[in-house]
Amino acid sequence: MSDNLIINEFKEILDEQSLQKLEHFLDEDNASFCDAQNEINGHEYIDLGLPSGVKWATCNVGADSPEDAGGFYAWGETVTKDEYTKDNSLTYGLELDVISGDSQYDVARKEWGGTWRLPTNEEMTELVTNCIFKRRTINNVVGYFAIGLNGNRIFLPASGYYCGSRYYYKEFFGGVSGDYWSGTSGKESIFVKDTVAYGLKLDTENKETATFFPFLSLESESKTESEEVTTCIDGRIVGKNIRPVSD
């Protein structure tokens, strides 16, 4: 969808101020970050005007700026490591449901404290279905602006992922990849029970691949117009980035 079509689509539902902000952020020449609105426990957030009212952090866990990748964590783990394997996974095969807010498994809650936590799969789906995503390069880092209908936005860097001891930045079919964990286990998958979890995928090519199982995509139907930002299911052993949220 072109920028002009996006503007026309939302003219009827946005107030004038929000529409002006949306037009500003869709402009290639205005690829600067939206100022954070406040802090929770020393970490900045943006209100994207989502139906749930959830606030999204401006940076990943372990990052110093919005475009910084920060740390890579296997699902349900709170420290980074040199290898991301089944053998050293702490949650592979463990019966868990939603770990958001549980400091034993939620690195956002453990590291940032306060009310910060992993987003649930429902909150990631809400982000995908209620924001406009625009691919941009900021300080030589490719990523996506998630622009809310109130005109506010966050930047999600496409920083790749770890599997085993290898770092993957390019997808199998080309394009830049970015991967984020939710706090929701993927029990409904066709894979072995309690070995997968939901996440968010950024893929500039989006060839219908899951990160750890490229031959068996399980992406959800909640997609943006560009189909480059989706929710997905991946193996818990994969090392991904974390973007915290707060109520």
Side-chain angles (χ1 to χ4, degrees), residues 5 29 36 43 47 60 100-101 113 126 142 157-158 178 192 210 218 240:
L5 287 176
D29 295 327
H43 298 278
D47 178 4
N60 293 344
S100 298
E126 179 185 57
V142 178
V192 180
L218 287 178
K240 297 188 178 190

Side-chain angles (χ1 to χ4, degrees), residues 155-220:
F155 183 73
L156 297 167
S159 303
Y161 58 92
Y162 278 89
C163 187
S165 59
R166 293 188 61 185
Y167 171 64
Y168 296 87
Y169 179 58
K170 297 286 186 179
E171 278 294 8
F172 291 93
F173 295 94
V176 177
S177 171
D179 294 87
Y180 291 80
W181 279 126
S182 80
T184 305
S185 176
K187 289 184 177 179
E188 311 87 43
S189 77
I190 63 174
F191 302 109
V192 180
K193 184 180 179 182
D194 300 320
T195 63
V196 295
Y198 287 99
L200 184 72
K201 183 154 189 75
L202 320 175
D203 183 359
T204 58
E205 291 297 321
N206 192 25
K207 298 297 183 178
E208 297 298 325
T209 60
T211 299
F212 189 56
F213 302 99
F215 49 89
L216 287 171
S217 172
L218 287 178
E219 293 182 2
S220 79

Side-chain angles (χ1 to χ4, degrees), residues 15-225:
D15 59 39
E16 184 175 353
Q17 183 179 11
S18 296
L19 190 63
Q20 288 176 351
K21 289 172 72 173
L22 180 60
E23 290 175 327
H24 175 81
F25 287 143
L26 288 172
D27 190 333
E28 291 281 356
D29 295 327
N30 295 319
S32 60
F33 298 115
C34 183
D35 291 334
Q37 294 158 323
N38 215 325
E39 293 184 356
I40 297 174
N41 221 37
H43 298 278
E44 297 176 335
Y45 70 81
I46 295 290
D47 178 4
L48 295 170
L50 299 172
S52 68
V54 71
K55 305 172 183 67
W56 283 79
T58 59
C59 296
N60 293 344
V61 172
D64 295 322
S65 65
E67 73 271 26
D68 184 14
F72 291 83
Y73 301 88
W75 189 79
E77 299 187 18
T78 59
V79 295
T80 60
K81 48 193 180 182
D82 295 328
E83 284 191 303
Y84 297 79
T85 67
K86 174 182 174 182
D87 291 338
N88 68 17
S89 170
L90 300 180
T91 65
Y92 188 91
L94 191 62
E95 187 175 353
L96 295 167
D97 188 10
V98 179
I99 61 173
S100 298
D102 184 342
S103 59
Q104 181 178 353
Y105 303 107
D106 185 339
V107 64
R109 178 58 60 88
K110 181 181 178 182
E111 293 297 320
W112 287 18
T115 54
W116 289 111
R117 57 178 174 79
L118 281 162
T120 63
N121 180 55
E122 289 75 15
E123 288 164 339
M124 282 189 163
T125 301
E126 179 185 57
L127 182 77
V128 170
T129 56
N130 288 276
C131 288
I132 298 164
F133 288 84
K134 297 295 290 184
R135 192 192 325 151
R136 294 287 187 265
T137 300
I138 304 296
N139 296 327
N140 297 316
V141 176
V142 178
Y144 290 81
F145 278 115
I147 309 171
L149 295 185
N150 61 1
N152 295 332
R153 66 181 181 171
I154 58 172
F155 183 73
L156 297 167
S159 303
Y161 58 92
Y162 278 89
C163 187
S165 59
R166 293 188 61 185
Y167 171 64
Y168 296 87
Y169 179 58
K170 297 286 186 179
E171 278 294 8
F172 291 93
F173 295 94
V176 177
S177 171
D179 294 87
Y180 291 80
W181 279 126
S182 80
T184 305
S185 176
K187 289 184 177 179
E188 311 87 43
S189 77
I190 63 174
F191 302 109
V192 180
K193 184 180 179 182
D194 300 320
T195 63
V196 295
Y198 287 99
L200 184 72
K201 183 154 189 75
L202 320 175
D203 183 359
T204 58
E205 291 297 321
N206 192 25
K207 298 297 183 178
E208 297 298 325
T209 60
T211 299
F212 189 56
F213 302 99
F215 49 89
L216 287 171
S217 172
L218 287 178
E219 293 182 2
S220 79
E221 295 180 357
S222 56
K223 298 181 179 181
T224 64
E225 288 287 337

